[in-house]
């Protein structure tokens, strides 16, 4: 599957359409834009998605942001669906962002081709 980079951000970045489902009721789903972020250890979801789906708490984690400041965050469980790939039991950090981030906890299971000059992302079988 090929995706065009999102050119409304600067510089343009690889984004995908991600389906987020409640792990206790897979019929409750929301689609969200998600940026591929190989610098992120863990994936994030907007607070609005977490609240709408009422995703269950799965623990807490101490994290460091890009500025190096440490904080403790509440993790949520979710099912993530990207094309034909399904990630059950994903542990998610809620954020105030308008879009999700797919970190290495998810993208390390995928074969991705980032073609910067063509501004495309391809997910391979």
């Amino acid at each position: 599957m090929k995706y065009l980079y999102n050119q409304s951000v600067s510089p343009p970045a690889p984004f995908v359409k991600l389906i987020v489902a409640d792990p206790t009721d897979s019929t409750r789903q929301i689609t969200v834009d998600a940026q591929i972020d190989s610098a992120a250890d863990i994936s994030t979801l907007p607070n609005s998605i977490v609240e709408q789906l009422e995703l269950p708490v799965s623990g807490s984690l101490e994290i460091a942001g890009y500025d190096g400041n440490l904080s403790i965050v509440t993790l949520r469980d979710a099912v993530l669906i990207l094309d034909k790939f399904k990630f059950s039991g994903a542990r998610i950090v809620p954020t105030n962002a308008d879009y999700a981030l797919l970190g290495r906890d998810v993208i390390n299971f995928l074969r991705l081709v980032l073609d910067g000059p063509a501004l495309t992302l391809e997910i391979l079988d």
Side-chain angles (χ1 to χ4, degrees), residues 8-105:
S8 66
V9 296
S10 182
F15 274 73
V16 295
K17 292 290 185 190
L18 179 69
I19 297 171
V20 181
D22 177 346
T24 63
D25 179 0
S26 62
T27 64
R28 295 175 23 126
Q29 300 180 348
I30 296 176
T31 300
V32 63
D33 291 325
Q35 182 178 357
I36 302 295
D37 187 349
S38 63
D41 296 339
I42 192 166
S43 298
T44 70
L45 286 174
N47 282 320
S48 60
I49 302 293
V50 171
E51 291 167 5
Q52 282 180 311
L53 292 175
E54 299 174 340
L55 296 176
V57 172
S58 63
S60 61
L61 180 69
E62 184 176 59
I63 62 171
Y66 63 89
D67 58 3
N69 289 327
L70 295 176
S71 61
I72 295 176
V73 296
T74 300
L75 297 172
R76 301 297 185 112
D77 279 339
V79 174
L80 305 178
I81 303 165
L82 177 58
D83 295 332
K84 62 182 178 183
F85 301 97
K86 183 176 181 179
F87 303 93
S88 298
R91 298 178 75 196
I92 300 299
V93 175
T95 67
N96 292 324
D98 294 331
Y99 54 86
L101 289 179
L102 282 183
R104 291 188 313 277
D105 60 323

